[in-house]
Amino acid sequence: MRGIIAALMLVAFSFVAVAPVTAVAAEKKVKSEVVMKVGNKVHLFHSGTADVKKEICLNDVITVYREGGPKNSAGREVGQVKVLGYAGEHYFEGEVVKGEVKPGDIAKKPSASCLIQPVRHDN
């Protein structure tokens, strides 16, 4: 009987000791999340196919959606990005003109989509 009580106390103590560490880790993740607001530059990753390059043109303003998980698979509108130019073979350079976007959001046109990425400043 003493062994069972000791084991239960050990399990209860481990839950109390681990809970604050988990909360701090979740808080750090939220604080370090990249959010790009109006005026911020972004890169729009695409497949590089002729169809995408034909569908998306310079100065286009494209609506950006964030996937909402299994219940909301269509995503919700979170902003708009204006295409400013080309940044390599698989990227367009853009600027957020409405809303707030995050890495992983999707800029969609009827037959083309691009993955939003922050602009990397390699020194």
Side-chain angles (χ1 to χ4, degrees):
M1 187 67 161
R2 277 189 175 166
I4 294 173
I5 293 173
L8 290 175
M9 288 182 64
L10 183 60
V11 169
F13 176 74
S14 65
F15 282 125
V16 172
V18 173
V21 174
T22 306
V24 170
E27 183 179 322
K28 284 183 181 179
K29 181 180 179 185
V30 170
K31 285 184 179 180
S32 66
E33 192 171 273
V34 177
V35 176
M36 295 159 283
K37 300 179 180 183
V38 174
N40 290 139
K41 301 283 193 241
V42 297
H43 280 158
L44 302 146
F45 176 76
H46 61 87
S47 63
T49 63
D51 293 340
V52 172
K53 292 177 181 178
K54 182 179 174 185
E55 177 76 22
I56 298 176
C57 302
L58 296 180
N59 296 317
D60 279 355
V61 176
I62 306 171
T63 303
V64 178
Y65 298 90
R66 182 165 304 134
E67 298 300 318
K71 292 183 180 179
N72 185 9
S73 60
R76 62 182 170 93
E77 185 177 327
V78 293
Q80 293 182 336
V81 173
K82 181 176 182 178
V83 179
L84 301 176
Y86 301 97
E89 188 176 333
H90 292 283
Y91 289 93
F92 293 112
E93 184 176 8
E95 180 180 348
V96 179
V97 294
K98 180 181 175 187
E100 294 182 350
V101 300
K102 296 179 182 180
D105 289 347
I106 308 292
K108 290 184 182 179
K109 288 196 80 173
S111 63
S113 299
C114 297
L115 184 67
I116 300 289
Q117 296 292 313
V119 174
R120 297 181 75 178
H121 300 284
D122 295 331
N123 293 333

